[in-house]
């Protein structure tokens, strides 16, 4: 509660502040705040007063959203990385002790077996002593004590094995002693560095899970008190959204009503939405979930007021406070790391292999018509952020339509001769491989649609209920909808409905193998050019 916005909210400002459009004389003040905001650099567009002229968020809610724009550190990824560092220290210390330590000798099978057993025993003992938990990572002396005890137990296990079975009796005691000493020093030094980093990350908020409470009143107040009472709680409550609650609940500001929540979550980096409404209010809960499920966040339904005992399946706990897991953020933690590595590796391979095709396209476009080779178009990216997608120009420069106000149709006079060829073969999409390297696109995912994409004068979010759920992951160069034949002109509501259904299916069933399947099927599906103009 140290942030200025929270202090103001406690005085009632958050709930009473009018929107930017209504507050007189606020334009210059808001423009100043937006220029200094982290949001101003999040995409290719400039955030201005006009962008927020019709916002339902108060100025204080905008301030909080801007302060929450920074991405955090995934706890599972951090824990996995620390485990990997421990493994490397064990192997490197064993190797150094063997090659240059007392009684140096060459590597044998028994040395490799000892190193492998040490890795297994160490990870098991460290896991049992909770040294991969963030609260322990922040502690200096306690962490070193646990690591030292675990590492010593590993060598105690070796001693027991040698005595009981004679396994490893040929291994030099000098090597074991040198390995133990070097490994202990390496593990302790790494933990000293980790404790410093973990404390800094905690102070900066990078290791916290940011939560919004949906719902108010007494139930929200009790939930907040219960969460704050949990030891080593990593949940940071950033505010409350509700249609009925007072301006401040348990010291936290009400930032707006439910309809403003989706807008807030588009601007802020939120990890979790906690719906604090009794389970018996089924109709209201279902209405809320229908609104919120399009967001790329964990959604949990608080069960602490219903006094129901749950099994672990389908539920989770923050300390002793129970929650029903309604929706999980897709492609998070290690899945996100794996997908990013997949994207970088395969996009580099694709760029190298397709370089002759791209060079040929550049030459053909230059010879065919005047103007730049690359066409840039603003499209929806992850969580509705606006991104700039690269394409080879396929239209005459003076007829280009960067805002996608008019859909390209069969025989469209705006398309050049070369443009017809590269659009049919999807060669015009190849520059998006560089978007993948930059991180705004993924190789596989829902295709990024133009901001003004429409059918029969209706934007696609009006045509399809839950359309924005396809933006819960990064958009892709190719996707499951394209594999199933839904590419090209979208001139009927059914076509965009089918695309969205395929996109949601992909999100709910994602895996690296699924990405590989789509990637390798794409060239075959491109042979069908029936709907590509």
């Amino acid at each position: 509660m140290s942030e200025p916005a929270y202090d103001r909210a406690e005085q009632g400002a958050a709930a009473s502040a009018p929107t930017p459009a209504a507050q007189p004389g606020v334009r210059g003040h808001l423009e100043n705040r937006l220029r200094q905001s982290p949001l101003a650099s999040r995409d290719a567009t400039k955030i201005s007063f006009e962008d927020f002229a019709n916002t339902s968020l108060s100025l204080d809610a905008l301030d909080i959203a801007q302060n929450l724009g920074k991405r955090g550190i995934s706890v599972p990824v951090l824990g996995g990385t620390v485990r990997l560092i421990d493994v490397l220290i064990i192997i490197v210390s064993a190797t150094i002790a063997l090659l240059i330590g007392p009684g140096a000798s060459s590597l044998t099978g028994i040395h490799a077996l000892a190193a492998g057993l040490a890795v297994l025993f160490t990870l098991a003992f460290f896991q049992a002593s909770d040294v991969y938990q963030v609260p322990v990572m922040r502690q200096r002396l306690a962490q070193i004590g646990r690591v030292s005890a675990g590492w010593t137990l590993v060598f105690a296990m070796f001693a027991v094995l040698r005595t009981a079975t004679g396994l490893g009796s040929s291994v030099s005691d000098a090597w074991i002693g040198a390995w133990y000493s070097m490994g202990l020093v390496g593990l302790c030094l790494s933990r000293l560095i980790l404790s410093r980093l973990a404390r800094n990350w905690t102070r900066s908020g990078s290791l916290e899970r940011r939560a919004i409470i949906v719902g108010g009143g007494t139930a929200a107040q009790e939930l907040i008190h219960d969460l704050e009472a949990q030891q080593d709680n990593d949940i940071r409550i950033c505010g409350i959204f509700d249609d009925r609650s007072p301006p401040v609940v348990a010291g936290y500001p009400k930032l707006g009503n439910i309809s403003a929540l989706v807008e807030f979550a588009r601007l802020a980096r939120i990890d979790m939405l906690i719906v604090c409404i009794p389970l018996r209010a089924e109709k209201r809960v279902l209405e809320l979930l229908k609104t919120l499920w399009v967001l790329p966040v964990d959604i949990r339904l608080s069960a602490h007021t219903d006094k129901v005992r749950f099994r672990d399946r389908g539920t989770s706990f923050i300390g002793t406070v129970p929650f029903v897991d309604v929706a999980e953020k897709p492609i998070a933690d290690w899945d996100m790391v794996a997908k990013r590595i997949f994207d970088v590796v395969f996009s580099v391979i694709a760029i190298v292999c397709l370089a002759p095709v791209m060079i040929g396209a550049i030459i053909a476009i230059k010879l065919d018509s005047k103007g730049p080779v690359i066409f840039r178009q603003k499209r929806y990216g992850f969580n509705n952020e606006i991104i700039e997608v690269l394409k080879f120009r396929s239209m005459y420069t003076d007829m280009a339509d960067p805002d996608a106000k008019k859909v390209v149709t069969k025989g469209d006079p705006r398309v050049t001769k070369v443009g017809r060829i590269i659009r049919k073969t999807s060669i015009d999409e190849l520059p998006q491989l560089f978007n993948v390297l930059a991180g705004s696109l993924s190789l596989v995912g829902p295709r990024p649609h133009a901001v003004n994409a429409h059918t029969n004068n209706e934007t696609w979010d009006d045509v399809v209920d839950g359309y924005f759920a396809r933006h819960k992951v990064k958009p892709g160069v190719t996707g499951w909808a394209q594999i199933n034949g839904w590419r090209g002109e979208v001139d009927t509501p059914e076509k965009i409905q089918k695309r969205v259904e395929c996109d949601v299916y992909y999100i709910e069933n994602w895996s690296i193998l699924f990405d590989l399947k789509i990637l390798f099927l794409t060239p075959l599906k491109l042979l069908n050019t029936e709907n590509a103009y």
Side-chain angles (χ1 to χ4, degrees), residues 97-112:
L98 182 65
L99 297 179
I100 64 174
S105 63
S106 58
L107 179 66
T108 64
I110 195 65
H111 292 111

Side-chain angles (χ1 to χ4, degrees), residues 77-140:
V77 172
L78 174 62
T81 303
V82 174
R83 287 179 176 89
L84 179 60
I85 292 171
D86 287 344
V87 170
L88 291 176
I89 290 173
I90 293 168
I91 294 173
V92 170
S93 60
T95 304
I96 293 175
L98 182 65
L99 297 179
I100 64 174
S105 63
S106 58
L107 179 66
T108 64
I110 195 65
H111 292 111
L113 177 61
L117 289 174
V119 167
L120 294 177
F121 288 149
T122 302
L123 293 179
F125 291 148
F126 283 7
Q127 182 71 33
S129 56
D130 290 333
V131 296
Y132 298 119
Q133 300 297 319
V134 171
V136 177
M137 290 181 189
R138 289 195 291 259
Q139 301 171 22
R140 185 182 293 113

Side-chain angles (χ1 to χ4, degrees), residues 15 25 51 53 66 90 94 116 122 167 171 183 217 256 349 368 391 516 519 529:
D51 294 324
Q66 291 164 11
I90 293 168
T122 302
L167 182 65
V171 173
I349 292 172
D368 183 51
K391 298 181 68 174
L516 279 171
L519 198 60
T529 61

